[in-house]
Amino acid sequence: MAKQQRTGLVGGAKKISIASMSCALAIFAAPIAAQEASVRERSPEDEVIYLIMPDRFENADPSNDRGGLAGDRLKTGYDPASKGFYHGGDLKGVLSRLDYIQGLGATAIWLTPVFRNKPVQGMPGKEDAAYHGYWGIDFTDIDPHLGTKADYKALVDAAHARGMKVYFDIVVNHTADVIRYRECPERACDYRGKAAFPYTRRGGLNGSPINPGFAGDQPPNQSAENFARLKDQRFAYTPYLPKGEERAKTPAWLNDISLYHNRGESTFRGESSQYGDFVGLDDVFTENPRVVAGMIELYGGWIDEFGMDGFRIDTARHVNSEFWQAFVPAMQARARARGISNFHIFGEVMEFQPGELARFTHIDGLPSVNDFALQGALVEAIAKDGPTDAVTNVFRGDVLYKDGEARARQLVTLTGNHDVYRFARAVMLARPTASPEEVQKRVLLAHAVVLTARGVPALYYGDEQGFTGMGDGQGPVDQGSREDMFATKTATYAKAPRLTPTQSRTGDHFDTAHPLYRAIADLVSIRKKDSALRHGRQVSRASGDKPGLLAFSRIDDDHETLVVFNTSTARIDDAVMVEPGSRRWQSLHGQCAPTSAAPGSVRVRIEPLDYIVCRAEAPSKQ
């Protein structure tokens, strides 16, 4: 429809004067500019994010399915019958489904990386494709499997015109697997640590000491002069670029072998977590000032060109703290210069304890992280029928973050995503005899927590359509969670159970009447209309050492909103503490008692695996 409108405007230009056309364009552009300005002003807590893997979402342009490459799947990366290869989704597909996304209530779209990837990599017989976007090779352009820069700009502009934000998924820790080691060219090399293989010049330990800032320097020596000594270093392994791939990466400085750690495979423990290759991917030497400056210029350029509204940072925990301390302020300044005052940056830190997550806000300076601690607690309490204290204990850790609870309100919360089990799969594995109806109730209960608790909810595409991520149990866990929303040609995706048994598995999955879509949309609507659910401080009210009652209040300057969950399979009839000034209650979801039983106490009755949302009509403070 938008394309037809633009065509009509240009086509009519022959019948009107240039001045009249300019006036018309100005009138047309004014509300769009105003809408974009209002988008910029919203704080992160006001957003509901919808996470999309573009290759698996919608295929609007089959001409780009092979990324402009010729040959079989090992050349093009395209094989829609395989979970590990490109399936054909693209940026035009996302654009074509903005009505569907906005109908769910999402206000921001987070796309997995869209820059150009190495199409296929892996040892012979174990190849996979870069459909997910995390094997970057040209960080200045869009992957041709997904479209063009013009397609990305059209998507960002269309989202902004609707009042929606777009978050850009970036990778700093690694690039695609290009570098080889002469000691083990056909297999993964074991990690070689810094103690056994210190940084030295070729020829041994004689000469000027080389300390790139990780061992013994307090503070670390991050000078360019110090790192220049590594130009002729002796690496832990002997790295080389295969013939024909000497200039494979863009920007060109990424082809410099000295700008990588070259220490072999990470074991994801100890120092290897920072310096090792992430499953073969070339681990960038992010301590080097040349890399810091290059990454700032690279990703600052994306902000300048497209004006996206935030970054999700992949594998953030595997990068040194000093890098983030320089990079984050630079990106925030770049965004402010473009008029983006609330540029939301959140890092992927795969830790499941609040204290471990919080350290990245203190030491690394990350403004926010994905709240995997809450995600893990939801699996424990709801999927596994465990103690509700698991959830409350996560919220008690909010004081650990830099700026405490205020920072916790900007954590990006989730029930699952493309790197872990979908929540439905976690339920089905924990409770294999559960009916689809019970699984669906538990999935909705988990979504109800993230949509009413502190934080910025991130909904994962397909959850609202009853995707389970069960697959066939073969291959990496994450591949099962990356189903096609369009009509799939992957047999295991087509056979995977859905939470609505009558739903077709052969067509697409954009059913706005699906019960989970409707229920999640209703929850989002409640959140949007209630300021306390977005900005209010959170007070835990009830939980225990077994399944059952879980309750918390969200309180702002105006009122209190009470949210109560029943994670058990028995009805709950109990009393919950509230603010003494909260006397009369309005039901936002479920049946709430109209008045408090006594000052500071309200009775709640909740059916099994259900929840209620109650807003106090009276001020929460006496």
Side-chain angles (χ1 to χ4, degrees), residues 337-412:
R338 204 184 186 282
I340 310 169
S341 55
N342 284 307
F343 193 79
H344 194 194
I345 298 176
F346 55 101
E348 179 206 24
V349 178
M350 193 73 78
E351 294 283 357
F352 294 87
Q353 297 297 325
E356 289 294 326
L357 291 170
R359 70 177 295 276
F360 289 87
T361 67
H362 286 280
I363 299 173
D364 293 51
L366 293 177
S368 176
V369 294
N370 280 120
D371 193 354
F372 281 103
L374 180 58
Q375 189 267 341
L378 293 173
V379 170
E380 180 67 23
I382 299 176
K384 296 183 177 180
D385 210 23
T388 53
D389 278 344
V391 177
T392 297
N393 289 341
V394 170
F395 295 141
R396 286 180 179 145
D398 287 354
V399 296
L400 300 174
Y401 292 91
K402 185 178 181 180
D403 304 323
E405 295 172 358
R407 182 65 60 93
R409 289 195 287 273
Q410 294 194 1
L411 301 178
V412 176

Side-chain angles (χ1 to χ4, degrees), residues 204-219:
L205 296 170
N206 297 324
S208 302
I210 297 170
N211 178 9
F214 349 95
D217 249 8
Q218 296 294 332

Side-chain angles (χ1 to χ4, degrees), residues 312-525:
R312 180 266 190 179
I313 303 172
D314 180 65
T315 52
R317 63 168 296 182
H318 302 296
V319 175
N320 61 303
S321 301
E322 295 82 5
F323 178 90
W324 298 127
Q325 292 163 7
F327 181 84
V328 168
M331 294 302 97
Q332 292 171 328
R334 200 76 166 248
R336 283 194 299 271
R338 204 184 186 282
I340 310 169
S341 55
N342 284 307
F343 193 79
H344 194 194
I345 298 176
F346 55 101
E348 179 206 24
V349 178
M350 193 73 78
E351 294 283 357
F352 294 87
Q353 297 297 325
E356 289 294 326
L357 291 170
R359 70 177 295 276
F360 289 87
T361 67
H362 286 280
I363 299 173
D364 293 51
L366 293 177
S368 176
V369 294
N370 280 120
D371 193 354
F372 281 103
L374 180 58
Q375 189 267 341
L378 293 173
V379 170
E380 180 67 23
I382 299 176
K384 296 183 177 180
D385 210 23
T388 53
D389 278 344
V391 177
T392 297
N393 289 341
V394 170
F395 295 141
R396 286 180 179 145
D398 287 354
V399 296
L400 300 174
Y401 292 91
K402 185 178 181 180
D403 304 323
E405 295 172 358
R407 182 65 60 93
R409 289 195 287 273
Q410 294 194 1
L411 301 178
V412 176
T413 56
L414 64 159
T415 65
N417 70 0
H418 57 301
D419 289 324
V420 298
Y421 288 151
R422 287 189 183 272
F423 199 82
R425 183 172 184 175
V427 175
M428 295 169 77
L429 291 176
R431 305 179 65 78
T433 62
S435 67
E437 292 75 20
E438 178 183 339
V439 177
Q440 183 165 301
K441 285 183 178 181
R442 291 181 184 272
V443 168
L444 182 57
L445 206 58
H447 280 81
V449 175
V450 300
L451 283 164
T452 55
R454 94 300 181 257
V456 184
L459 309 174
Y460 184 42
Y461 85 94
D463 281 353
E464 77 281 0
Q465 293 294 322
F467 282 17
T468 62
M470 288 299 284
D472 56 6
Q474 303 298 313
V477 168
D478 50 19
Q479 289 184 0
S481 300
R482 301 172 177 181
E483 302 99 315
D484 299 318
M485 286 283 277
F486 53 91
T488 188
K489 296 180 181 178
T490 306
T492 55
Y493 289 165
K495 294 176 182 177
R498 298 282 187 263
L499 295 185
T500 302
T502 58
Q503 183 182 21
S504 170
R505 299 177 185 175
T506 57
D508 64 34
H509 300 277
F510 296 97
D511 180 10
T512 57
H514 191 286
L516 275 171
Y517 182 98
R518 296 302 337 145
I520 292 172
D522 289 344
L523 273 165
V524 174
S525 179

Side-chain angles (χ1 to χ4, degrees), residues 191-200 234-237 263 271:
Y191 182 76
R192 289 181 170 178
K194 294 182 293 179
F197 295 87
Y199 291 96
T200 65
R234 181 184 68 180
F235 291 99
Y237 285 101
R263 290 188 170 275
E271 70 171 58

Side-chain angles (χ1 to χ4, degrees), residues 54-55 58-59 61 63-68 86 88-93 114-116 141-153 302:
D55 177 67
E58 179 64 295
N59 187 358
D61 186 2
S63 70
N64 61 31
D65 287 355
R66 291 172 174 78
Y86 284 96
D90 46 45
L91 294 172
K92 288 180 179 178
V114 297
F115 37 69
R116 185 187 294 262
D141 202 0
I142 298 294
D143 192 294
H145 291 86
L146 304 180
T148 64
K149 279 191 170 183
D151 295 334
Y152 184 67
K153 186 177 190 307
W302 281 95

